[in-house]
Amino acid sequence: MLKPKKVIDAFKKNFPGVKFSYFTSPGRINLIGEHTDYNGGFVLPAAVDKGISLAIAPNGTTKVNAFSMDYGEKLTFDINDPKKPAQQWACYIYGVVQEMKERGAAPGGFDCAFGGDVPLGAGMSSSAALESVFGYAINTLFKLGFKREELAKIGQMTEHHYVGVNCGIMDQFASLMGKEGKVIRLDCRSLGYKRVPFNPRGYKIVLIDTMVKHNLASGEYNVRRAQCEAGVAAIKKDHPNVELLRDVSPALLEQYKDKLDPMVYKRCSFVVKESPRLLAGCRDLAKGDVPAFGKKMFETHDGLSKDYGVSCEKLDFIVDVARKCDGVVGARMMGGGFGGCVIAIVRSGDAKAYIEAVQKAYKKKFNLDPRVINVAISDGAKRWNVRKLR
Ligand code: GLA
């Protein structure tokens, strides 16, 4: 997380003399289970020690005065204005407030300054961190009574209604529900979840950012979702109990191979294999069999790249380097795709060599320096005691 002093200084500069509260909410990693959330399947994310930090004070009006440290921009909007702000970053804040009002709550206006250290566009959910920190802070300060799970839905619906990304629930759920040292095995249909300790002895998580910025709003993400829904609609005609791809087994999908549009079939074939793979992976982890889990990460990558079509040349390149490195038990692209980073599980003693191998090969091939992102699995959204921050 950013140093609190930075955020506090930004707040004081913009709102001199105003007393404030302080909140943070993290980005996330996801070990396995990609593009399964909006299909009602399983995911295995964890909150990390990087995210968005927010200094905020209710101001007794219906106006929000917000300063974004990352954009160096300040703007004001009225929470009752039917039109969303022009700046995308402000739409997240505006959207969270509208979604709360939609659910019968009455938040008021506030002054705020916020900034983050989750790399933007790296597939670590900086936008979910933003929705979650505002959701959690507004809920707390205006005593709105939403549970953390509901705040996750408020964040997800903000994406749908005010940003235009028809995302699943994984990122917001992880940002709000994460706990230090634990990954969350989440059933995205029921929202039933289990927190599982993840600290395999002798292994490290290594994230390497391709530096290719993705923007899910660019449309391909929504196209994938629509392709999954098209598959469901076709199968549902004969099997009315099928609501989501979660309900379709690989064997059932096979029966539709010739009836579905070939592209729709390809997309669905990845999804129906991914949730069972995750569940098998959880059994590996429970037995302490990290190499077996890692193998599944590579399989997930292959599916995301070849069948789901959400990887890119640079992501594939890093994963291919990883396959050849000693001690890398598993690696794959992480998050929505089209750029962002590769998550790998690496034997601790081999992590340095893996990073150097990627850096060298990447420089040679693309003349670019990939970024290594260090993360620790940490707590979800929280309020900090301002007096203890100094
Ligand atoms: C993005 C979305 C999530 C999820 C992932 C892919 O991060 O916000 O809901 O669909 O992509 O697993």
Side-chain angles (χ1 to χ4, degrees), residues 178-196:
K179 282 267 180 286
E180 190 181 335
K182 296 196 172 145
V183 294
I184 310 172
R185 199 195 70 177
L186 171 66
D187 177 339
C188 298
R189 162 174 269 167
S190 66
L191 293 194
Y193 65 94
K194 196 172 164 206
R195 293 196 183 95
V196 192

Side-chain angles (χ1 to χ4, degrees), residues 32 42 185 274-284 296:
I32 199 164
F42 288 87
R185 199 195 70 177
E274 181 69 350
S275 272
R277 182 156 45 224
L278 179 151
L279 294 173
C282 288
R283 292 194 287 276
D284 296 336
K296 295 184 175 65

Side-chain angles (χ1 to χ4, degrees), residues 33-58:
E34 219 64 89
H35 288 276
T36 42
D37 57 355
Y38 52 83
N39 288 301
F42 288 87
V43 290
L44 199 61
V48 295
D49 56 347
K50 295 194 160 42
I52 308 279
S53 307
L54 165 69
I56 178 170

Side-chain angles (χ1 to χ4, degrees), residues 149-168:
E149 285 95 326
E150 290 172 293
L151 293 173
K153 285 190 197 156
I154 285 170
Q156 181 196 14
M157 287 305 131
T158 298
E159 295 273 354
H160 287 212
H161 301 145
Y162 299 92
V163 186
V165 179
N166 296 329
C167 65

Side-chain angles (χ1 to χ4, degrees), residues 28 30 33-38 43 125 165 167-172 216 221 335-337:
R28 58 109 188 88
N30 184 30
E34 219 64 89
H35 288 276
T36 42
D37 57 355
Y38 52 83
V43 290
S125 302
V165 179
C167 65
I169 190 84
M170 165 167 74
D171 305 348
Q172 294 80 5
L216 298 185
Y221 182 93

